[in-house]
Amino acid sequence: MAEVAGSTVSNALIETIVNATNGNPLYIKELTEHLPQTGFDSSDKAAVPDGIRHTIELRVGSLSPDAQSLLRGGAALGQSFDLQLAGRLVSLAGEQLLGAVEDALLSGLLVEESATNAAFSHGLVATTVYEGTSLARRLALHRSAATALTDLIPDSAAQIVNVARHWAFVAQVDPTARSVAARWSVLAGDAAAASAAVDEVIACFERALAMYDGPTAEHGDTLARLGAALTTSGKLVEGNERLRRALECAEFVGDASVFARATLGLAAGVRYGQSDPERIAELEAAIVKLGPKEMVLRPALLATLGRQLGFLDTPEADTRRKEVAALVVEAGSAPDVSDKLLISIGNLRD
């Protein structure tokens, strides 16, 4: 790469080209010449130079129609994919699918990972096949993939994020899919939060927000989740702005739970040892909105309110603090106390 570029190459460029070419010398040469000319950025996906694209297209064109269909289905799924699922997307099964798999493997465009999975030999192959597929066909493939993966009841973070990715593509073209795409993006954000991938959490919630057409409970809930994630990542100003919008949305649609979550998010931004009259007023309002029978968010609001009141040196604050402390103890020590309540209180770190 240094010889081709005529200068020292960065680690970011090396990593990008290695990932895209899997070490193929021809592809390395062409991509090393191509990327710096196109204003390479380490966050960019490697574009396919015309020479490489033409070579790959010729190889794909030499395959049987079934093998070409299989490659298109696989490219919609990603660099590595399940063969049965790819076959389902393009209506291939049984011996017909096996023949297509063997044809693609013999060509070197696919490599076996296991008896059930295959991968494109190079990232450039997957990109060329995908970009050579018509938009109408891509839409059909992503919709079929989203439906098929949903039918499998995804439960891992990677599976949920994958379903969300397919629905997001569909929603770009089909407005009727926006609500389902938004729901899956929120689920993907929650899944990413479980693995502490804060940047991915924020990206998922932002994608979901872009799909809402107006103020709804789901819109407000996503704003609250995004605000909490931004606050966690240290972006307090941005986080508070989203949380305030969540409060406004919750007031507009009359959703007490969203109002409570947004209130908790805003209160979490108050530095320990300090109190904020505005936050105290919001906490009291949220407690009233939920009512005495709510046994998850309400005790969390009460505990948060107690902490805020603990830093006010007035008889009224002290009296109210003792009241809310007693209510929290009562809720947490009930014989039928729920795990959700205990987790809700525990997350406050009080």
Side-chain angles (χ1 to χ4, degrees):
M1 285 175 60
E3 183 178 333
V4 172
S7 61
T8 302
V9 291
S10 68
N11 289 335
L13 181 61
I14 292 171
E15 184 177 357
T16 297
I17 291 181
V18 166
N19 290 339
T21 64
N22 200 31
N24 182 296
L26 170 63
Y27 294 169
I28 288 174
K29 180 178 183 297
E30 290 219 23
L31 205 54
T32 303
E33 292 173 341
H34 174 74
L35 278 185
Q37 298 172 7
T38 59
F40 168 73
D41 184 293
S42 60
S43 64
D44 291 340
K45 185 177 179 180
V48 185
D50 290 339
I52 293 178
R53 183 184 301 277
H54 181 63
T55 300
I56 294 172
E57 287 173 344
L58 287 175
R59 293 178 66 187
V60 172
S62 68
L63 300 178
S64 66
D66 284 349
Q68 292 183 45
S69 293
L70 177 66
L71 291 181
R72 284 193 291 271
L77 294 173
Q79 171 71 20
S80 175
F81 58 91
D82 181 283
L83 291 166
Q84 291 291 332
L85 179 57
R88 176 177 171 179
L89 301 188
V90 294
S91 302
L92 293 174
E95 286 297 324
Q96 193 178 9
L97 173 59
L98 289 175
V101 171
E102 290 168 348
D103 193 10
L105 290 172
L106 287 171
S107 73
L109 295 173
L110 286 186
V111 293
E112 278 188 307
E113 289 189 328
S114 69
T116 58
N117 277 58
F120 287 95
S121 56
H122 314 287
L124 297 176
V125 175
T127 302
T128 298
V129 172
Y130 184 77
E131 292 179 351
T133 304
S134 69
L135 287 174
R137 177 68 65 184
R138 286 189 219 172
L139 174 62
L141 290 170
H142 283 292
R143 190 190 299 277
S144 295
T147 302
L149 290 168
T150 301
D151 290 344
L152 296 173
I153 312 177
D155 55 4
S156 72
Q159 291 170 339
I160 293 170
V161 168
N162 206 16
V163 175
R165 176 178 69 86
H166 290 296
W167 276 122
F169 181 93
V170 175
Q172 290 176 6
V173 184
D174 180 5
T176 65
R178 289 167 69 91
S179 60
V180 66
R183 284 197 299 273
W184 276 103
S185 288
V186 170
L187 287 172
D190 289 342
S195 60
V198 179
D199 289 341
E200 180 63 22
V201 172
I202 292 170
C204 288
F205 290 151
E206 286 179 337
R207 280 195 294 272
L209 283 174
M211 297 176 200
Y212 293 113
D213 295 321
T216 62
E218 292 80 8
H219 183 200
D221 179 65
T222 306
L223 279 167
R225 291 169 190 265
L226 175 59
L230 287 166
T231 300
T232 300
S233 70
K235 299 175 181 177
L236 191 59
V237 174
E238 294 176 46
N240 282 346
E241 188 272 333
R242 303 304 194 285
L243 289 164
R244 290 191 184 96
R245 284 170 54 193
L247 277 183
E248 293 171 2
C249 185
E251 285 275 37
F252 182 81
V253 301
D255 192 296
S257 294
V258 171
F259 189 93
R261 283 194 288 273
T263 300
L264 284 169
L266 285 165
V270 178
R271 185 175 299 175
Y272 189 81
Q274 297 181 353
S275 61
D276 184 328
E278 186 178 359
R279 299 288 86 82
I280 290 173
E282 289 165 353
L283 288 163
E284 292 280 23
I287 291 166
V288 172
K289 287 177 184 292
L290 287 175
K293 293 184 179 180
E294 206 286 335
M295 292 302 290
V296 176
L297 287 171
R298 190 170 184 269
L301 290 164
L302 288 165
T304 305
L305 175 61
R307 182 180 63 195
Q308 289 271 309
L309 293 169
F311 300 112
L312 288 178
D313 189 17
T314 67
E316 295 79 11
D318 187 56
T319 299
R320 181 57 175 154
R321 183 185 62 77
K322 290 175 180 176
E323 291 173 356
V324 299
L327 290 170
V328 173
V329 170
E330 181 183 354
S333 58
D336 58 347
V337 62
S338 69
D339 289 344
K340 286 184 178 180
L341 169 58
L342 296 176
I343 291 170
S344 176
I345 298 279
N347 280 340
L348 299 175
R349 303 189 187 90
D350 284 332

